[in-house]
Amino acid sequence: MASRISLVSSEFHSGAQALASVALSFVLLNCSLAHGQLAAAAASVTTPTSLRAQSTQSALTQRWPRATNPRLSWLVLDLTNGLIVAHQGSDPDLPIPVGSLTKPFLALAYARTHNAFPHLTCRGTQDRCWLPRGHGSLGVEDALAHSCNAYFLKLARQTDPNALQSVLLLLGLPSPPAEATPAELIGLDPTWEIAPATLAHAYASLLPQPDAGTILAGLREAASKGSASALFSADAFAKTGTAPCHNRTCVASADGLVIAITPIETPRTLLLLRQQGSTGAATATLAAQMLHVLEVPRER
């Protein structure tokens, strides 16, 4: 196997010890549970009994009550202990299409069998990218930051399916459909469904991976100047996604999703927000308001 892609920025080395603490909690869980039970245990939603859970649930439901926000679903994961401390809306254990939120997992699988990420050219509409004029030539950090479909469609074609399956197993994620196309792997075709609780824990497990530095740099760029820039934060990892709706419960043509993880050096809070009838970038605006209610500071 080729050597793993190394971390690209010293700032991630400075946060290595903090991220290692997140990894430790998952290692301890793994020691006490059989391999196949870990994902199921992680996906379960806890009853909000702690002071933090009660205050988080109360703060968010008072501002965004279910009765007046029926198209909004969210959950908050406490990264210090791996517990979901607040949630509202659709069942967080019910699988849904998640759009581009699968792209970091694809990038990690690529990293497991390559020495470096490629620079690829996005020509816009003709390459199935959401930006009609295209992003031009770009690397994985910019591709993650701006959620470039063209880049990840090409990356998917170059990713070893066995490496992808290994990464999904590591992070507790379900497999995509058999013989999944590149479009399915990056969420353009909404057939790969993942439960929000499972997805949140997968992102938590991504943080301490030794070869995820370049990926995390892209997620940081997404929050500061990319598709999630509405968060107004330079101290967050983020990823947006827009998932086409394809089942009988659809109330709109697409769902906008965003994951925000903060702070960077000592990750403590993960917010996963889903808004029906929106885009990921637009949903990031609402995510910023929620983080503010949770007393996560904004940079500008």
Side-chain angles (χ1 to χ4, degrees):
M1 178 181 295
S3 61
R4 296 176 177 175
I5 296 175
S6 62
L7 299 183
V8 296
S9 173
S10 60
E11 64 187 321
F12 292 104
H13 289 289
S14 67
Q17 184 175 1
L19 292 179
S21 66
V22 178
L24 179 59
S25 64
F26 284 89
V27 170
L28 293 175
L29 279 173
N30 200 28
C31 291
S32 61
L33 296 171
H35 179 72
Q37 295 173 317
L38 179 57
S44 63
V45 179
T46 61
T47 302
T49 56
S50 71
L51 181 60
R52 185 187 181 193
Q54 292 175 2
S55 62
T56 299
Q57 185 77 33
S58 176
L60 293 179
T61 54
Q62 286 181 18
R63 179 74 179 272
W64 293 277
R66 179 64 175 166
T68 55
N69 297 274
R71 296 188 179 187
L72 191 63
S73 300
W74 45 260
L75 65 81
V76 178
L77 179 67
D78 185 341
L79 292 172
T80 66
N81 56 25
L83 298 180
I84 292 175
V85 294
H87 69 94
Q88 181 170 282
S90 59
D91 185 349
D93 291 322
L94 181 66
I96 59 170
V98 297
S100 295
L101 296 187
T102 61
K103 288 174 180 175
F105 311 134
L106 187 70
L108 185 61
Y110 182 93
R112 293 290 161 96
T113 57
H114 295 79
N115 292 323
F117 286 106
H119 273 73
L120 301 172
T121 301
C122 169
R123 298 173 295 178
T125 302
Q126 61 181 307
D127 287 335
R128 293 193 69 179
C129 193
W130 61 268
L131 185 65
R133 69 176 185 275
H135 292 100
S137 178
L138 72 173
V140 70
E141 289 184 27
D142 285 338
L144 282 167
H146 300 287
S147 202
C148 177
N149 292 334
Y151 184 96
F152 279 96
L153 283 171
K154 295 173 182 177
L155 197 75
R157 298 186 186 103
Q158 300 174 19
T159 300
D160 182 351
N162 292 327
L164 177 59
Q165 188 60 39
S166 177
V167 163
L168 299 181
L169 186 63
L170 172 70
L171 301 182
L173 288 162
S175 298
E179 306 297 327
T181 65
E184 289 176 303
L185 293 178
I186 71 167
L188 280 178
D189 294 339
T191 53
W192 186 11
E193 298 185 338
I194 303 172
T198 300
L199 184 67
H201 280 93
Y203 267 81
S205 297
L206 174 69
L207 295 177
Q209 295 304 313
D211 46 359
T214 303
I215 297 167
L216 296 179
L219 299 184
R220 181 172 185 173
E221 187 177 331
S224 62
K225 60 180 181 181
S227 61
S229 60
L231 291 177
F232 296 133
S233 177
D235 194 23
F237 300 116
K239 183 71 189 76
T240 60
T242 302
C245 190
H246 75 300
N247 59 47
R248 66 184 63 187
T249 63
C250 292
V251 297
S253 60
D255 297 339
L257 301 100
V258 62
I259 274 186
I261 299 170
T262 187
I264 285 175
E265 289 196 4
T266 55
R268 183 168 184 263
T269 299
L270 181 151
L271 171 67
L272 170 56
L273 179 63
R274 174 188 177 213
Q275 186 172 211
Q276 294 174 297
S278 184
T279 64
T283 302
T285 300
L286 184 55
Q289 297 173 26
M290 288 189 166
L291 290 176
H292 181 68
V293 168
L294 295 175
E295 298 184 346
V296 175
R298 298 193 294 179
E299 295 299 317
R300 65 177 189 271

